[in-house]
């Protein structure tokens, strides 16, 4: 080499650079808040868990579907920002024992293993053997061969490894399974995407000495649903065959007369301004959850496919490739929240003849939400009373009945 010539700059690793950019962006957005989570996400090579994806895809802030059967997504690599949020909620420490339900690609298990260290232990369970086999290969390739992988129904947990300091689900659940609670160590933490009146919330519950589970943090989320014994029913009613559906906020309150609701969809009528602007997050989880908790008859109305392009879907918000809104049924139709894509104040739009009572009820609930400071999921405090627990919530509290527990829902210190 000619000493007069400058040395060539060292070659860079594109994956490492992409990973650093991902972590920097997550820190800027407030998804990564602690140095420990930043350290773990900077160290674990996500692209090795997505061998069929490009480096750009592997480190983009997007979920990647990894298994589809009959057009239904059964497994995915979660969005990195959601991974970061849940790692912060878990608050992991060296030496802890962790059970993960939903192995996915193995990426999350690797991050957990990094954070609990060699003195800790990580077990991950998935219902599909092919997912477990693939995750095992990814973990070995990334340098985390000590993660224990189990093929089984995650609804049952994994008793041989109990008790666990942390139990975390990376699939959505409509219940707090007694098996998960029983396998928690004293003062342990259960973190799961929990369905609460139609909204999916990432809730970190701490187990108290009195047997109650109290939330330490709540965040909005969206995960593929749990399969197996804990799957539960899908409370969705098709409105005809053209892509319209209605989902009751309270599974115990059935959708009233789907045929009449479908007919009302095509009969938009008067509109009344609300004087507030609403984001998609407001409609679906902020105001939407407030309405669902205050009025169990609340419906989530969704238009998919060609229905989403129909005139009747105008004013519905864009949600995951569909159009959706919150609606309150009345005697001969329903009243729905609508807002133009370009912005402007939201409105209540009558479909069919819902009656004045439904319009007044929806308007009063919206006014109450605004007066409370427009609270969202992060402003919730949840307390779970498992079946068999000696303590019971007070009469008149806002209660949500799950399959194996009663959930007390409160709004604390909403942010204006």
């Amino acid at each position: 080499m000619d000493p007069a010539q400058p040395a060539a700059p060292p070659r860079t690793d594109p994956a490492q650079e992409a990973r650093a950019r991902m972590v920097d962006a997550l820190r800027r957005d407030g998804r990564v808040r602690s140095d420990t989570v930043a350290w773990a996400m900077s160290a674990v090579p996500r692209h090795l868990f997505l061998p069929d994806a490009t480096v750009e895809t592997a480190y983009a802030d997007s979920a990647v579907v990894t298994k589809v059967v009959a057009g239904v997504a059964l497994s995915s690599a979660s969005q990195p920002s959601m991974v970061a949020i849940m790692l912060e909620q878990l608050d992991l420490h060296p030496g802890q024992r962790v059970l993960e339900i939903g192995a996915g690609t193995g990426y999350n298990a690797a991050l957990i293993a990094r954070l609990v260290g060699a003195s800790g232990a990580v077990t991950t369970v998935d219902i599909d053997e092919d997912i477990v086999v693939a995750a095992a290969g990814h973990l070995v390739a990334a340098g985390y061969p000590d993660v224990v992988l189990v093929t089984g129904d995650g609804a049952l947990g994994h008793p041989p490894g109990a008790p666990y300091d942390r139990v975390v689900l990376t699939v959505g659940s409509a219940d707090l399974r007694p098996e998960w609670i029983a396998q928690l160590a004293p003062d342990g933490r259960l973190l799961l995407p929990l369905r609460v009146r139609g909204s999916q919330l990432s809730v970190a519950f701490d187990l108290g000495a009195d047997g109650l589970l109290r939330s330490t943090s709540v965040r909005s989320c969206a995960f593929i649903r749990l399969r197996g014994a804990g799957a539960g029913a899908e409370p969705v009613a098709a409105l005809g065959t053209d892509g319209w559906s209605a989902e009751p906020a309270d599974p115990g309150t059935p959708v009233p007369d789907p045929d009449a609701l479908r007919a009302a969809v095509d009969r938009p009528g008067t509109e009344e301004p609300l004087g507030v602007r609403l984001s998609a997050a407001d409609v679906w989880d902020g105001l939407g959850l407030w309405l669902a908790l205050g009025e169990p008859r609340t419906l989530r109305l969704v238009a998919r496919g060609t229905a989403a392009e129909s005139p009747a879907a105008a004013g519905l918000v864009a949600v995951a490739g569909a159009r959706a809104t919150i609606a309150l049924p009345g005697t001969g139709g329903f009243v729905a929240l609508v807002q133009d894509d370009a912005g402007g104040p939201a409105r209540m739009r009558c479909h069919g003849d819902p009656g004045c009572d439904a319009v007044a009820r929806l308007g009063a609930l919206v006014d109450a939400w605004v007066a409370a400071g427009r609270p969202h999921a992060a402003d919730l405090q949840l307390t779970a009373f498992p079946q068999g627990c000696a303590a019971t919530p007070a009469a008149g509290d806002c209660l949500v009945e799950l399959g194996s527990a009663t959930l007390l829902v409160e709004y604390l210190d909403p942010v204006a």
Side-chain angles (χ1 to χ4, degrees):
M1 177 177 176
D2 185 349
Q5 296 296 319
R11 298 185 64 179
T12 58
D13 179 353
Q16 187 173 354
E17 289 184 340
R19 188 157 62 252
R21 289 194 298 271
M22 177 189 76
V23 175
D24 287 345
L26 294 175
R27 281 205 157 195
R28 284 195 305 272
D29 292 342
R31 308 304 189 185
V32 169
R33 294 182 285 106
S34 64
D35 290 341
T36 52
V37 169
W39 167 75
M41 296 191 77
S42 296
V44 177
R46 189 171 189 253
H47 65 286
L48 295 183
F49 295 86
L50 293 166
D52 296 327
T54 64
V55 167
E56 290 74 16
T57 297
Y59 292 103
D61 192 25
S62 302
V64 179
V65 176
T66 54
K67 182 174 181 177
V68 178
V69 175
V72 177
L74 299 184
S75 187
S76 68
S78 298
Q79 186 178 5
S81 57
M82 194 69 236
V83 171
I85 288 169
M86 294 184 76
L87 287 175
E88 297 286 3
Q89 288 183 287
L90 272 177
D91 187 27
L92 294 163
H93 300 280
Q96 289 182 325
R97 301 176 60 82
V98 182
L99 172 64
E100 179 193 41
I101 295 167
T105 65
Y107 175 63
N108 199 58
L111 290 165
I112 294 171
R114 186 85 180 181
L115 288 164
V116 301
S119 59
V122 181
T123 301
T124 184
V125 179
D126 205 284
I127 199 167
D128 290 337
E129 185 175 5
D130 60 329
I131 291 176
V132 169
V133 169
H138 301 157
L139 285 160
V140 170
Y144 298 91
D146 294 331
V147 171
V148 176
L149 293 106
V150 177
T151 301
D153 190 339
L156 308 179
H158 186 61
Y164 301 100
D165 300 292
R166 301 286 188 267
V167 175
V168 54
L169 276 71
T170 56
V171 285
S173 176
D175 195 10
L176 294 171
R177 296 280 302 188
E179 294 90 343
W180 305 332
I181 300 170
Q183 292 169 36
L184 271 178
D187 300 320
R189 178 167 293 183
L190 169 63
L191 174 64
L192 77 166
L194 181 65
R195 175 189 161 88
V196 179
R197 289 284 169 89
S199 290
Q200 199 180 79
L201 307 174
S202 178
V203 187
F205 284 108
D206 281 356
L207 177 62
D210 56 3
L212 300 185
L213 292 151
R214 296 175 175 85
S215 67
T216 60
S217 63
V218 182
R219 300 288 185 269
S220 296
C221 65
F223 280 83
I224 292 171
R225 294 173 60 240
L226 183 71
R227 292 181 286 141
E234 180 76 13
V236 176
L239 306 183
T241 59
D242 58 350
W244 287 94
S245 64
E247 178 181 344
D250 181 3
T253 303
V255 174
D257 196 349
D259 291 338
L261 285 177
R262 180 63 188 87
V265 165
D266 292 329
R267 293 175 56 208
T270 58
E271 295 187 356
E272 183 174 325
L274 286 169
V276 296
R277 287 181 170 83
L278 302 174
S279 67
D282 288 333
V283 172
W284 201 248
D285 283 328
L287 175 57
L289 184 54
W290 178 277
L291 296 176
L293 290 168
E295 177 51 75
R297 294 180 300 151
T298 298
L299 303 172
R300 282 172 164 79
L301 185 68
V302 182
R304 294 184 173 86
T306 56
E309 306 302 324
S310 67
L316 278 62
V317 300
V319 177
R323 290 274 177 176
T325 193
I326 302 297
L328 185 62
T331 53
F334 61 88
V335 55
L337 295 176
V338 295
Q339 181 171 279
D340 296 333
D341 287 340
R347 309 179 302 280
M348 292 187 294
R349 184 169 70 201
C350 291
H351 284 257
D353 182 16
C356 295
D357 289 348
V359 176
R361 176 64 172 153
L362 183 59
L365 286 166
V366 172
D367 289 344
W369 177 71
V370 173
R374 301 171 63 114
H376 270 250
D379 302 307
L380 286 171
Q381 171 71 48
L382 307 181
T383 305
F385 295 74
Q387 287 181 354
C389 182
T392 56
D397 286 333
C398 181
L399 304 178
V400 175
E401 295 297 334
L402 307 177
S404 303
T406 298
L407 200 64
L408 168 62
V409 184
E410 301 171 283
Y411 283 95
L412 298 179
D413 301 322
V415 178

